[in-house]
Amino acid sequence: MSEDHAPSSSDQAAKSPDQPPRMALCLSGGGYRAALFHLGALRRLNEMGVLSHLDTITSVSGGSIMAAHLARCVKPWPAPGSKFADWEAAVAAPFRAFVKHDIRTWPALKRVLLPWRWPIRSTQVEALEARYYRLLTKQALTDLPERPNFVFCATNIVHGINWVFERARVGDYKCRHRKPDATWPVARAVAASSCFPPIFDPMKLGKSWPIRDTDDAKADKQTKLKPRLSDGGVYDNMGLEPAWKGHTAVIVSDGGAPFRVFKSKSPFRLWMRYFDVVNNQVASRRKTELMARYNRKPINGAMPSDRLLGTYWDIANASKPEDGYRSYPLSLAESVISEIRTDLDHFTEWEIGVLENHGYLLANATMHRHAPELIALDPPLAVPHEDMMNASDVERELAGSASRFSIKRLFGIG
């Protein structure tokens, strides 16, 4: 049994009926699109007093960008049952400004355009880390709060498993977890979590991390291997694995790409489609397990010990009109909003506003329908961008948002 799934004293404590639920929030990958979707969801979770009750926030790729911003800006963290009062000025407005920066293009091209950097495969991911450090956060991992525990997820492709960056430890269950050096920046964790292939080569850590509890006869040779860290979505795009352990309530905000019918004739797209199919099967199994644990039935009058409170929402969904909650139409969520690209380049005002609105409204509706017991406060809705709620306007303004190349975006127009 892997360390990430092994039972511990915290698991037993989490199941005690005399204690409040230990709550985890999972922020999926999906570039700026997911990050902005999460921004809206987090706004509503803050208004509901849910954010203040979180014990753990796990994140992947675009979710890690949002998590790093949250850890830097929400200070002090609100007391349980309360909310962070200065959300718009301290959290939302600065993040909207951040996603107008293109942090992808120069790091991706740096190795190609500078001949003396051609042999250095770490050029791109190091440039990405530098951009995050300059524009997103200068915090060190050791500066992160004790509560909630922020868990930035990457994929160690050497072992093919989840790798975590936390305040108190860095590593995976096959390597020895270590206390991070005081100088390790959060930007490094975000870069490792979001260095999506094949654009970025994996991040190679400077130290060797020995393999633990191996019976391999070549263990001495293997202990000299260095972890190579790629986008967390390669292994688990929802960041669920750290949330299974030690929590009785798990909330998932999923801004990842929906699995669509394949229509492209591009050879590159066809090559990528093979990986998409494999990844979709893994994601589907994780979602199935998550839903099963939400829906566990009583056995002899008692709930199973692995049952979870909480709920899940994804970017391609919307509230039904008969439910009585505000939402964009489902057709708009499916065919327009969820098709916005997952890049890390300049996002327009309409892309920003619609994604923030969508996350805000979905979090509100889904929490009320499926996890009302976790809501501490219930103020009236205050949609962040009320002037961007008209479906026809949204469809017109987001035409072309699915494209990864745009002259307007290239020059930061819109």
Side-chain angles (χ1 to χ4, degrees):
M1 179 178 291
S2 77
E3 181 178 313
D4 286 326
H5 292 94
S8 68
S9 59
S10 63
D11 289 289
Q12 303 307 317
K15 296 168 185 174
S16 171
D18 299 325
Q19 295 186 1
R22 281 182 52 79
M23 195 184 309
L25 171 65
C26 303
L27 303 176
S28 80
Y32 279 174
R33 183 185 72 190
L36 287 161
F37 179 68
H38 300 326
L39 176 65
L42 287 163
R43 176 190 282 265
R44 189 54 181 167
L45 292 179
N46 177 56
E47 292 173 355
M48 291 175 159
V50 176
L51 197 68
S52 65
H53 279 289
L54 294 175
D55 296 283
T56 303
I57 297 177
T58 72
S59 60
V60 178
S61 194
S64 290
I65 297 172
M66 185 66 246
H69 179 75
L70 198 68
R72 180 176 68 86
C73 296
V74 180
K75 291 182 178 180
W77 198 262
S82 66
K83 67 178 182 179
F84 183 69
D86 200 21
W87 185 269
E88 174 60 28
V91 180
F95 196 72
R96 293 185 206 118
F98 169 76
V99 296
K100 292 181 181 179
H101 291 283
D102 179 354
I103 62 168
R104 173 209 64 184
T105 304
W106 171 241
L109 295 178
K110 186 175 181 180
R111 183 180 169 204
V112 177
L113 297 178
L114 304 179
W116 59 91
R117 303 291 299 186
W118 290 351
I120 307 174
R121 301 186 66 177
S122 62
T123 296
Q124 294 154 312
V125 71
E126 288 175 358
L128 184 64
E129 178 184 330
R131 298 283 279 183
Y132 283 135
Y133 186 82
R134 183 167 69 87
L135 298 171
L136 182 67
T137 178
K138 292 181 172 62
Q139 279 190 306
L141 286 172
T142 51
D143 295 330
L144 293 170
E146 292 186 21
R147 183 181 177 278
N149 182 36
F150 284 83
V151 184
F152 299 91
C153 299
T155 301
N156 183 0
I157 63 171
V158 173
H159 298 119
I161 56 177
N162 195 58
W163 176 281
V164 298
F165 291 87
E166 302 177 36
R167 178 180 180 273
R169 66 173 194 164
V170 176
D172 62 41
Y173 78 86
K174 284 193 176 182
C175 296
R176 297 186 187 279
H177 287 93
R178 297 183 181 180
K179 185 176 181 179
D181 187 282
T183 62
W184 274 37
V186 171
R188 182 168 302 165
V190 180
S193 184
S194 62
C195 58
F196 48 91
I199 304 300
F200 294 95
D201 279 347
M203 175 183 289
K204 199 168 186 177
L205 297 184
K207 297 181 179 179
S208 296
W209 293 63
I211 296 172
R212 190 173 71 180
D213 298 334
T214 180
D215 296 323
D216 197 308
K218 298 180 180 179
D220 289 339
K221 181 178 180 180
Q222 291 190 23
T223 57
K224 297 178 182 179
L225 291 174
K226 297 177 181 179
R228 299 175 67 192
L229 307 181
S230 189
D231 191 300
V234 173
Y235 180 77
D236 175 8
N237 198 50
M238 291 185 288
L240 272 171
E241 188 161 291
W244 294 135
K245 181 180 178 181
H247 301 92
T248 50
V250 175
I251 300 168
V252 180
S253 180
D254 188 357
F259 191 69
R260 305 292 194 189
V261 174
F262 183 67
K263 300 178 181 179
S264 175
K265 297 181 180 179
S266 162
F268 176 76
R269 293 289 185 186
L270 177 61
W271 180 70
M272 293 299 295
R273 181 64 171 184
Y274 298 126
F275 297 97
D276 290 341
V277 172
V278 174
N279 290 338
N280 181 63
Q281 296 307 304
V282 175
S284 295
R285 289 182 63 87
R286 290 188 184 276
K287 289 178 187 177
T288 299
E289 182 179 358
L290 179 67
M291 299 307 162
R293 292 184 65 176
Y294 283 151
N295 298 319
R296 292 279 197 259
K297 303 299 182 183
I299 301 175
N300 298 325
M303 282 295 179
S305 59
D306 66 343
R307 180 179 183 263
L308 290 174
L309 300 173
T311 189
Y312 164 97
W313 56 80
D314 71 85
I315 196 169
N317 215 328
S319 179
K320 299 176 182 177
E322 58 266 28
D323 291 336
Y325 299 106
R326 287 196 71 186
S327 172
Y328 286 115
L330 178 60
S331 59
L332 192 70
E334 288 181 330
S335 63
V336 179
I337 300 175
S338 65
E339 290 291 323
I340 296 174
R341 70 202 185 284
T342 57
D343 280 350
L344 300 177
D345 67 350
H346 172 83
F347 266 47
T348 67
E349 294 287 353
W350 274 85
E351 289 169 334
I352 292 168
V354 170
L355 285 166
E356 191 176 357
N357 282 352
H358 190 40
Y360 180 88
L361 294 169
L362 262 185
N364 176 72
T366 312
M367 288 295 297
H368 275 99
R369 289 194 64 208
H370 300 293
E373 66 277 12
L374 300 180
I375 298 174
L377 307 168
D378 196 14
L381 285 177
V383 179
H385 309 276
E386 188 66 53
D387 58 334
M388 297 182 180
M389 284 301 299
N390 182 274
S392 298
D393 292 342
V394 172
E395 192 165 6
R396 181 186 66 251
E397 294 294 337
L398 295 189
S401 288
S403 173
R404 292 184 179 272
F405 179 79
S406 163
I407 295 295
K408 288 176 65 178
R409 292 198 301 268
L410 184 63
F411 292 97
I413 303 170

